[in-house]
Structure formats: structure tokens, C-alpha cells
Amino acid sequence: MEYMIGAYATAPSTHLWDKELETIYYQELKSQHKIIGLEHPFVGRLHPFDDEWFLKNIDCNWQFIFTSIPGVMGQLARDPHFGIASTNEAGRQSALAFYQKAQKAIVKLNSYLKKEAVSHVKIHTAPKITTHTQSSIQALITSLETMQSWNWYGAKLVIEHCDAYIPGQEAEKGFMRLEDEIKAVKQVNSKLNSDIGISINWGRSAIEARNTNGPLQHIKQAYLNGVLKGIIFSGTSDVDGPYGQWKDTHMPPAQALFLPCYAENSLLTMEQMKKSIQQCDYQQLDYIGAKISLSPNEASVAQRSAYIKSITALLDHVFEVQ
């Protein structure tokens, strides 16, 4: 197995932008043969700090999945109505304009690599639902129909489910319910004969459910509806600590086997990873991968690389025993 890795969450640049350190980090990534490509953060431009540096340091054989969540959260900090599912038309149009910038970034990357290098664009059903900001299935359908009409240069649209708004529960993202996202996707796919999908992030589904059954239910639900495209393993905890309690901090997995890099009190165990892939025919998925952060964020490049090696080795073991 080879994996898509959200390496930006483990990178030195999460702490500070240092070209030298980041270059060494990317050299480490390129030496890890289990990495087939990167889940790459889209914030409104190709790279958060330096497009040209990024192009010079990537592996030309990598695939890329653009994830819009860093950019979406940045936009929401300025405009709480922002989002493709927003009932506020100005907020919805602002989100569409944001995703048009993603098109341009894909063109820039593809042009440099002289191929269609981006397999998927992860989109998110903002805004956060509150008494003042609302979303709707119809608003999402309208946005998806518009976005599907654009040229994505080989990339597929996929909604990455984030923890949904639940009355009385503090949300990390507080976006739409999975069943509503699935309903919108299936309606648009049926109308346009398109192939928009759903991606499940293990940690975000656990955060929503406040238990480890949440990811299993979400994976199965999306799979049985024929829209599951990928799974990303990212942890969380039900107790307070360096990664917080029920926080979307991309916590590393719990201790397993002989692996040296793990996080105490992580709910993402090897057993939970096994159960997750048993909820679907994983061989039909477009991608499987992982995204982890380190807290406190004070690790050396070698340590950051070791954490990624540990989770890919853990994934290898999970798939070997199936």
C-alpha cells in the first residue's frame, strides 16, 4: 500500500516559515517510499508561503489532493457567512470565488509538472452553523452544480466531512450533517452524471460523535451510499492534554506494536483503524492516508519524519492482517 499524507500538518512551517528547514523536511518526505503523494493545504494560492519554493521541492512523481480546510477556516475568521452551503448569498458567492482560485493553483502546478497532478479537491460545507449563520442542502446543491461545471484539470471534487453542528455540543467546525452532504452529492451526481464524492477524516467523525463508533458509522454510511472516495486517519482524544479534549488537532495514533512515535490517550488505535477499513471495500477507494500534528510543536525535522514513518508502518500492518 501507498498513502496520501497530510504532511503540511507535521511540517516545520506549522511553527515558523524557514526555507532551509522546510527543504530538509521535503527531502525526508521524498525518501519515504510509502508516500504516494501529499494532501496539500489550499489557502487561496498554490502554497501558503512561497509558490516557487514549493514547485522546486516537490517530487515530480507525487500525486496531490488539495484540501481547502485551512483556507476555509481563515475565510470564516473574517466572514462567518462564508461557505458553499451558506444561505447567505454573498457568503456563498465568496466561497465560490475562493474555489476558483484553487483552479488557478491547479493549473500552475500541472503546468510545472507537465501533467494532471491533482487527483482530488477537498471542499467543505461551511459555514459553521449558529443562530446567525445557516446552511442548507439547496445552497450546497446549487454550489456543487456550479463547481462541477468548471474545468478541474483532472481533479475530482470530494466533500471532506467535518464534525457537524449538534445542538448543545461545542463544535470544532460545526458544518453540515453527513446525511445532508450525501443527499446533495447524490442529487447532483444523478442530475449531472458526475462523480463528486465524500471523504472521511477519522478524528473529525470521532469528535462529532464523541466516541470511536462515529468514524465507523460515517465510513459505512458513505460507502453504502456509493460516494465514499477516501479515508484519512487523524486522531483525537476524549481527555484533556497536549492535543486537547475532542479537538481537531490531528493527534498521532496510540502506541502500537514496536513503533516509537505515538501519542498518549489517543483514541486512534490500531484496532480502530482495522475496524474502519472493514466498513467498506477499501480497495475501491481512491485514496487512504493520514494526517498528524505534533504538540508541543517543538520537534526536529528527523522527529517529524519519524512520526510519519510510524503511522505509515502502522497502516501497513493494518492492511497486512486483513
Side-chain angles (χ1 to χ4, degrees):
M1 291 286 291
E2 295 175 306
Y3 309 105
M4 298 297 297
I5 299 297
Y8 74 95
T10 324
S13 56
T14 56
H15 181 58
L16 55 87
W17 175 241
D18 183 317
K19 282 187 180 182
E20 184 177 344
L21 275 180
E22 201 78 1
T23 299
I24 296 170
Y25 177 66
Y26 266 63
Q27 289 171 348
E28 286 280 339
L29 293 177
K30 284 185 279 191
S31 73
Q32 295 193 32
H33 302 299
K34 288 294 180 179
I35 298 177
I36 196 171
L38 302 185
E39 182 186 272
H40 179 66
F42 179 71
V43 297
R45 52 181 291 178
L46 177 57
H47 187 267
F49 299 102
D50 190 332
D51 286 6
E52 300 312 312
W53 174 90
F54 177 70
L55 293 171
K56 290 175 183 176
N57 282 277
I58 57 177
D59 188 322
C60 64
N61 294 312
W62 278 340
Q63 299 172 15
F64 294 87
I65 295 174
F66 277 22
T67 174
S68 69
I69 195 64
V72 166
M73 298 310 294
Q75 292 292 326
L76 283 171
R78 293 184 284 272
D79 175 12
H81 294 287
F82 175 93
I84 57 172
S86 182
T87 56
N88 178 283
E89 185 61 14
R92 195 180 71 84
Q93 290 296 334
S94 179
L96 290 176
F98 169 78
Y99 284 111
Q100 284 185 309
K101 294 178 182 177
Q103 277 186 296
K104 295 178 181 178
I106 289 173
V107 170
K108 187 171 187 177
L109 179 57
N110 286 351
S111 296
Y112 181 82
L113 293 175
K114 296 180 174 58
K115 65 177 182 177
E116 292 182 340
V118 182
S119 62
H120 299 79
V121 178
K122 286 186 177 180
I123 60 180
H124 300 83
T125 57
K128 183 175 186 177
I129 298 172
T130 69
T131 55
H132 305 292
T133 54
Q134 296 292 320
S135 63
S136 75
I137 297 173
Q138 187 54 55
L140 177 58
I141 287 171
T142 302
S143 294
L144 290 178
E145 288 179 352
T146 298
M147 295 173 72
Q148 186 60 32
S149 73
W150 301 341
N151 186 350
W152 287 100
Y153 307 97
K156 293 181 181 179
L157 296 177
V158 59
I159 292 177
E160 182 180 45
H161 180 66
C162 296
D163 67 295
Y165 166 75
I166 296 175
Q169 178 172 294
E170 183 180 354
E172 282 286 271
K173 301 295 188 289
F175 294 166
M176 293 185 76
R177 299 183 306 166
L178 179 62
E179 50 262 48
D180 292 338
E181 294 171 340
I182 291 173
K183 183 177 181 179
V185 164
K186 290 181 74 173
Q187 184 167 324
V188 173
N189 283 346
S190 177
K191 179 179 178 179
L192 302 180
N193 193 29
S194 52
D195 191 27
I196 301 170
I198 299 283
S199 181
I200 299 299
N201 177 294
W202 193 95
R204 289 170 182 159
S205 290
I207 290 166
E208 176 182 325
R210 294 295 197 261
N211 60 58
T212 55
N213 287 327
L216 307 183
Q217 293 167 355
H218 284 174
I219 291 167
K220 189 171 186 177
Q221 187 178 358
Y223 176 70
L224 291 178
N225 277 280
V227 293
L228 182 66
K229 297 298 183 185
I231 302 170
I232 296 293
F233 288 102
S234 189
T236 191
S237 180
D238 58 353
V239 299
D240 199 12
Y243 292 89
Q245 182 180 31
W246 299 123
K247 297 297 183 183
D248 188 13
T249 49
H250 316 307
M251 192 176 189
Q255 186 174 19
L257 307 173
F258 54 88
L259 300 173
C261 301
Y262 58 89
E264 296 284 354
N265 300 313
S266 176
L267 295 175
L268 182 59
T269 63
M270 184 172 70
E271 184 62 28
Q272 288 300 326
M273 295 168 80
K274 291 178 188 176
K275 288 181 179 179
S276 294
I277 64 170
Q278 289 168 355
Q279 305 308 306
C280 64
D281 181 352
Y282 70 85
Q283 293 179 323
Q284 291 184 6
L285 301 183
D286 290 352
Y287 59 85
I288 293 174
K291 177 164 62 178
I292 55 172
S293 295
L294 304 183
S295 185
N297 191 3
E298 299 169 350
S300 66
V301 169
Q303 289 170 322
R304 295 173 192 275
S305 178
Y307 268 88
I308 294 174
K309 288 178 182 177
S310 285
I311 197 166
T312 56
L314 182 55
L315 283 166
D316 274 349
H317 187 80
V318 167
F319 288 106
E320 284 170 4
V321 298
Q322 292 307 306

